[in-house]
């Protein structure tokens, strides 16, 4: 349920019929480096502005993430069930996991403060993943720390119920979710959407990995 109560988002009924997994943490710098070391795309395996092995990787573009996922799937090929792959979650999957059954502005309720998430320049940079409490389903940092790339091209919600939406087939910007360490509290709401060109690298942007049958 992509809800935007009291905001500018359109509440849209979404049905997800296919199971999926999602990383409980944002991808860390140590994880990113382990996959991207010696890559043949001339991408830095250590791109982040704020450095620390357990900090979320940032300054990675949507396009960079696709190369990371391709390499991860190749490296883990012998360990994956047939037909399964690491992917970026769809926007609907991301919000489903973020909300964790809630309909409030955030997974914990309608108010926000510095003990609940890394936002509003409270610490002035990213925090180690998992530094704040998990949501009701065990996911960490769905609100704040770094914006997270998702699969979808940006488009307005269709204004009708959808099943397993994946966004439009083409577009100019990819969707970002979750807000970051330097955004105000309204940007961390479960319903909040942002977007950017898939080539953008920024110290407020990272990602988490999904896992599903293709």
């Amino acid at each position: 349920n992509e809800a935007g109560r009291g905001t500018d988002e359109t509440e849209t009924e979404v049905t997800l019929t296919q199971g999926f997994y999602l990383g409980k943490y944002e991808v860390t710098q140590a994880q990113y480096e382990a996959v991207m070391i010696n890559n043949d795309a001339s991408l830095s395996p250590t791109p982040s502005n704020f450095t620390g092995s357990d900090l979320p990787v940032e300054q990675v573009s949507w396009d960079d993430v696709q190369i990371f996922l391709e390499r991860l799937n190749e490296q883990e090929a012998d360990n994956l069930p047939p037909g399964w792959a690491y992917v970026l979650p769809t926007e609907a999957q991301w919000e489903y996991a973020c909300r964790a059954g809630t309909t409030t502005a955030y997974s914990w309720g309608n108010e926000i403060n510095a003990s609940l998430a890394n936002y509003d320049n409270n610490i002035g940079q990213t925090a180690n993943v998992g530094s704040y409490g998990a949501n009701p389903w065990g996911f960490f940092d769905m609100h704040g720390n770094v914006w997270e790339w998702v699969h979808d091209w940006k488009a307005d919600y269709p204004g009708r119920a959808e099943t397993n939406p994946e966004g439009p087939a083409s577009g100019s910007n990819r969707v970002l979710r979750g807000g970051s360490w330097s955004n105000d509290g309204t940007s961390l709401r479960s319903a909040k959407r942002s977007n950017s060109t898939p080539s953008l690298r920024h110290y407020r942007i990272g990602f988490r990995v999904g896992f599903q049958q293709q």
Side-chain angles (χ1 to χ4, degrees):
N1 183 34
E2 295 174 337
R5 291 175 173 77
T7 66
D8 56 357
E9 293 93 0
T10 301
E11 187 167 328
T12 303
E13 182 179 345
V14 170
T15 302
L16 300 177
T17 64
Q18 298 165 327
F20 68 97
Y21 294 92
L22 186 67
K24 63 190 293 187
Y25 303 113
E26 294 161 336
V27 172
T28 68
Q29 293 177 31
Q31 291 168 333
Y32 189 83
E33 182 176 4
V35 171
M36 295 296 280
I37 195 80
N38 299 323
N39 72 82
D40 53 12
S42 300
L43 294 178
S44 170
T46 56
S48 301
N49 179 65
F50 305 110
T51 56
S53 59
D54 291 329
L55 293 176
V57 69
E58 20 90 356
Q59 296 198 146
V60 288
S61 70
W62 191 95
D63 294 331
D64 295 342
V65 173
Q66 302 311 301
I67 295 172
F68 171 90
L69 292 167
E70 181 179 336
R71 288 177 62 85
L72 179 60
N73 283 314
E74 289 173 354
Q75 291 170 16
E76 294 294 314
D78 292 341
N79 301 318
L80 302 183
W84 285 71
Y86 292 105
V87 295
L88 277 180
T90 66
E91 184 176 15
Q93 288 172 336
W94 190 97
E95 186 169 329
Y96 177 72
C98 175
R99 287 190 175 279
T102 67
T103 57
T104 47
Y106 311 96
S107 61
W108 55 73
N110 288 316
E111 306 298 326
I112 187 170
N113 62 60
S115 71
L116 296 169
N118 181 17
Y119 77 108
D120 207 26
N121 266 313
N122 283 323
I123 66 171
Q125 67 159 79
T126 56
N128 285 346
V129 300
S131 294
Y132 298 80
N135 78 4
W137 289 353
F139 295 104
F140 292 86
D141 302 308
M142 300 295 283
H143 305 284
N145 217 18
V146 288
W147 286 99
E148 299 178 18
W149 291 113
V150 295
H151 163 80
D152 305 38
W153 288 110
K154 169 65 169 64
D156 291 338
Y157 288 151
R160 61 179 183 276
E162 289 195 300
T163 299
N164 302 323
E166 296 184 357
S170 61
S172 56
N173 284 5
R174 297 284 184 175
V175 177
L176 292 155
R177 287 303 207 111
S180 83
W181 58 270
S182 67
N183 292 103
D184 66 19
T186 61
S187 295
L188 273 66
R189 292 176 297 105
S190 298
K192 178 65 177 177
R193 313 175 76 201
S194 187
N195 64 91
S196 189
T197 173
S199 62
L200 177 72
R201 299 182 179 118
H202 198 280
Y203 52 70
R204 292 187 297 200
I205 298 176
F207 68 106
R208 78 179 65 219
V209 170
F211 185 60
Q212 65 188 50
Q213 196 163 15
Q214 301 300 290

